[in-house]
């Protein structure tokens, strides 16, 4: 039972796929700062910004966890030659770093009101 189609698996196992966890974090980072900037441009803070940021954070964390699980599963299986194995390891380690970066980016939404 495959969870990832072969086409996506080939993409994720390549050089650009190894960078996909950083891409998920970058999109989340951009979304958080654009959403807060647009919200703060209007004086009354709407009550929906904090739940929206938390939802985006959970989606980003889930996507990064799934990418990390994919890389770890491929490493446990037949990893192939040295270059492919190195790319899978890089992808796995970047998933861990991206999880920390997403949590670090989302941390201010827990303690600080937007526009404060």
């Amino acid at each position: 039972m495959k969870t990832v189609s072969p086409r996506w698996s080939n993409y994720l196992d390549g050089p650009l796929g190894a960078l996909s966890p950083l891409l998920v974090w970058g999109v989340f980072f951009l979304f958080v700062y654009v959403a807060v900037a647009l919200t703060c441009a209007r004086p009354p803070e709407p009550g929906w910004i904090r739940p929206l940021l938390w939802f985006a954070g959970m989606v980003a964390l889930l996507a990064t966890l799934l990418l990390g699980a994919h890389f770890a599963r491929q490493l446990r299986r037949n990893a192939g030659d040295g270059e492919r194995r190195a790319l899978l390891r890089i992808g796995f380690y970047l998933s861990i770093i991206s999880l920390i970066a997403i949590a670090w980016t989302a941390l201010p939404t827990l303690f600080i009101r937007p526009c404060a």
Side-chain angles (χ1 to χ4, degrees), residues 3-65:
T3 57
V4 178
S5 70
R7 187 176 80 217
W8 282 103
S9 180
N10 290 340
Y11 166 73
L12 288 174
D13 294 344
L16 292 176
L19 296 175
S20 57
L22 289 179
L23 180 65
V24 170
W25 169 73
V27 168
F28 172 70
F29 186 84
L30 180 68
F31 176 79
V32 166
Y33 279 90
V34 167
V36 170
L38 289 175
T39 303
C40 292
R42 298 182 185 103
E45 178 189 335
W48 53 265
I49 187 66
R50 191 172 293 226
L52 178 68
L53 294 178
W54 276 100
F55 177 74
M58 292 301 117
V59 169
L61 283 174
L62 179 65
T64 307
L65 283 172

Side-chain angles (χ1 to χ4, degrees), residues 25 30 37 46 50 52 69 83-85 89 91 100 111 113:
W25 169 73
L30 180 68
R50 191 172 293 226
L52 178 68
E83 181 182 342
R84 182 169 183 261
R85 189 170 184 79
R89 280 189 177 156
I100 294 168
F111 298 111
R113 285 185 47 229

Side-chain angles (χ1 to χ4, degrees), residues 87-109:
L87 287 174
L88 289 172
R89 280 189 177 156
I90 289 169
F92 178 70
Y93 295 138
L94 286 177
S95 295
I96 294 171
I97 292 170
S98 295
L99 283 173
I100 294 168
I102 289 169
W104 190 260
T105 304
L107 203 57
T109 62

